[in-house]
Amino acid sequence: MSGVWVFNNGVIRLVENPNQSGGATNQTHGRRNVLVYLPTGEVVTSYSSLEQILRSLGWERYFNGDSDLIQYHKRSSIDLISLPRDFSKFNSVYMYDIVIKNPNSFHVRDFN
């Protein structure tokens, strides 16, 4: 599934982008996005590297029985990060969720 999220009259919806192939799901308007860990400049390329970073920031795995998701929570907050189990489905929506919950640690950038 690819497309653009559009906010209109208080409603958010996904508008499919027919110009994109179904291959790379972390693309928006033909550009590929990457999640960057700011303290080291490391581009997150796998869930194992992301999990190491999240653990160092106080996030813990949350096991709720949903086999389609990998989830993390912080004991000090009500935040929950939910990610698709398949890293190939890790797209900018999930990246921005991580950025919002860790604003000084991560950034989403276009990858050329």
Side-chain angles (χ1 to χ4, degrees):
M1 175 171 63
S2 62
V4 177
W5 288 99
V6 177
F7 185 77
N8 191 10
N9 295 329
V11 177
I12 192 164
R13 64 185 173 89
L14 179 65
V15 177
E16 296 293 328
N17 186 348
N19 295 331
Q20 285 188 349
S21 66
T25 58
N26 60 345
Q27 291 188 1
T28 304
H29 299 295
R31 295 175 303 194
R32 183 170 175 231
N33 295 316
V34 292
L35 182 65
V36 177
Y37 181 53
L38 293 175
T40 63
E42 173 188 357
V43 174
V44 174
T45 58
S46 69
Y47 279 151
S48 61
S49 66
L50 178 60
E51 182 165 346
Q52 286 179 340
I53 295 167
L54 290 176
R55 284 187 178 193
S56 73
L57 296 172
W59 292 90
E60 300 174 351
R61 280 291 293 270
Y62 178 74
F63 298 97
N64 70 343
D66 188 340
S67 62
D68 294 334
L69 297 174
I70 297 173
Q71 295 182 312
Y72 298 91
H73 74 99
K74 260 188 175 178
R75 291 181 189 249
S76 62
S77 75
I78 61 169
D79 289 333
L80 184 68
I81 296 173
S82 297
L83 306 171
R85 189 163 294 283
D86 183 357
F87 189 76
S88 68
K89 295 179 181 175
F90 181 63
N91 61 34
S92 60
V93 172
Y94 300 105
M95 293 177 194
Y96 281 112
D97 184 43
I98 293 170
V99 169
I100 288 169
K101 294 170 181 164
N102 301 279
N104 298 320
S105 300
F106 291 97
H107 185 74
V108 176
R109 295 193 181 136
D110 291 337
F111 180 76
N112 297 326

